[in-house]
Amino acid sequence: GGGVLDVAMHGTNFVASAGREGGVKLFKYIDGSVPNVLEYVGSVPTLIRPLPGTTPTIVTSVRFNSLGQLFVGGNDGYLRMITLPNDFFGMDFEEMKSEVDNMTVTIIKEEEKVQQPPSPILSFDVCEELEMVATAHANGNVCFYSVRDDDSHHALLGTWNPFTSAEGGKSHARSVAFVTNESKQWSIVAGGGNGEMWLQDIHSSVIEASGGNNNKQPTSDKPNMQLFMENSVQAIKPNHQGPVIGLASRPAGIIVSIAHDGILRITQTFPTPKALLGLGGYKVWVGSVCIDSEGKRLISDGRDDVVVVHDFSKEPEVNNDEVDL
């Protein structure tokens, strides 16, 4: 109830849905039924504000990783990781319903010394290769979290806010995406509520566990991840003329942005940002954009209940007929 804000799919038959009523609902697609339907499996049972009261968190973004872990971002500003029971996706529908309450919910938050409430999460991106999640917040921050399996606890690695600079001006961080080139150099792209897009080069390293020397206590008993942000913030031009509400990336340093100005833009980010193509004509606010697994089709949706597919999979036709110049 209240309207769907985001959906995520794992495999071909499992869906997580976030709505304005708060929380996350889980569904299984029952193939072969007449008609084929999405059957309700259950809800995330502990997805309530970690503050006084029991009002469900309004969830703005949901994403599965390849292992089936579900990441959830919401208006309370906390990033959560939901781990479902072992072999959950191999169960039949009735088994899923009986086991769904055995999931675990991990809240990944800032250091305990941070006193002010976190800013609402408007979007996030998951990068399995870097083992990170980047969240975009209403105060303009982009936060980076470690989601390494061997960490003793998942932790905030760092923050970046390009919208507080004199050149950028204050804005929401409305969308965020990791992007890499063929040499595996990584950057993060943030899209603003003011139509701006900014790019920051990043890299990470794992500091291995170290034992004590000279009778000193060990400094770390588990590997720790560290994030490094290069001094190379770049503006991606031209600006959009409305909030950048969707970003998607593909290898070779390509970022696709879509905004409330009705423009879908394709940009090359390496070695320097360069706009390659702009597709206009959207007459209503768009909702999201994604790229298919082959990197050849762009899929976007809008408030008019229409899904638009831009297909670049076919080779352009070449006319070899001789013509008079």
Side-chain angles (χ1 to χ4, degrees), residues 29-274:
Y29 179 72
I30 308 298
D31 192 13
S33 61
V34 182
N36 295 337
V37 294
L38 277 175
E39 290 285 359
Y40 174 70
V41 174
S43 296
V44 177
T46 58
L47 191 54
I48 58 175
R49 300 177 192 273
L51 302 171
T54 58
T55 305
T57 298
I58 296 178
V59 172
T60 55
S61 303
V62 287
R63 299 282 188 280
F64 281 106
N65 66 11
S66 62
L67 300 176
Q69 292 171 315
L70 178 63
F71 293 91
V72 174
N75 276 2
D76 64 357
Y78 289 99
L79 176 69
R80 294 170 171 85
M81 183 179 71
I82 297 162
T83 304
L84 294 158
N86 291 336
D87 302 322
F88 184 78
F89 298 104
M91 298 177 184
D92 62 29
F93 176 62
E94 293 301 327
E95 289 176 314
M96 279 186 169
K97 289 181 66 176
S98 66
E99 291 291 327
V100 68
D101 288 341
N102 293 325
M103 70 178 76
T104 59
V105 180
T106 303
I107 299 177
I108 308 173
K109 51 188 177 182
E110 300 178 3
E111 298 90 342
E112 297 296 334
K113 63 182 180 182
V114 177
Q115 297 297 321
Q116 65 184 40
S119 177
I121 294 174
L122 303 182
S123 179
F124 66 83
D125 193 23
V126 179
C127 181
E128 294 192 53
E129 189 164 345
L130 292 179
E131 298 180 292
M132 285 187 203
V133 174
T135 54
H137 294 259
N139 63 359
N141 280 348
V142 174
C143 295
F144 300 88
Y145 295 91
S146 166
V147 290
R148 285 174 55 85
D149 284 339
D150 57 357
D151 277 355
S152 58
H153 63 279
H154 304 299
L156 176 71
L157 298 174
T159 62
W160 170 54
N161 191 328
F163 305 107
T164 58
S165 65
E167 182 179 354
K170 294 186 68 174
S171 173
H172 303 316
R174 188 59 184 81
S175 53
V176 65
F178 292 95
V179 60
T180 185
N181 64 8
E182 295 173 348
S183 300
K184 295 300 181 181
Q185 296 171 297
W186 287 91
S187 296
I188 194 76
V189 175
N194 59 1
E196 295 178 349
M197 292 195 299
W198 294 88
L199 180 144
Q200 166 75 66
D201 293 337
I202 61 172
H203 71 274
S204 64
S205 64
V206 176
I207 307 301
E208 296 299 332
S210 58
N213 293 318
N214 300 324
N215 297 321
K216 294 182 179 179
Q217 294 296 320
T219 58
S220 174
D221 61 353
K222 289 181 179 294
N224 292 312
M225 179 183 286
Q226 290 190 345
L227 172 72
F228 301 91
M229 288 181 276
E230 306 294 342
N231 187 22
S232 56
V233 178
Q234 300 179 73
I236 298 177
K237 299 293 185 179
N239 292 343
H240 282 279
Q241 300 306 306
V244 183
I245 49 80
L247 291 171
S249 68
R250 58 156 297 178
I254 297 294
I255 194 80
V256 178
S257 58
I258 196 163
H260 282 173
D261 58 2
I263 300 295
L264 185 152
R265 184 172 294 132
I266 302 172
T267 301
Q268 176 74 51
T269 61
F270 291 95
T272 57
K274 178 182 179 181

Side-chain angles (χ1 to χ4, degrees), residues 247-251 254-257 264-266 288-300 310 312:
L247 291 171
S249 68
R250 58 156 297 178
I254 297 294
I255 194 80
V256 178
S257 58
L264 185 152
R265 184 172 294 132
I266 302 172
S288 59
V289 63
C290 64
I291 305 174
D292 74 350
S293 59
E294 296 180 349
K296 296 181 179 179
R297 297 175 183 85
L298 303 179
I299 301 97
S300 58
H310 295 283
F312 298 93

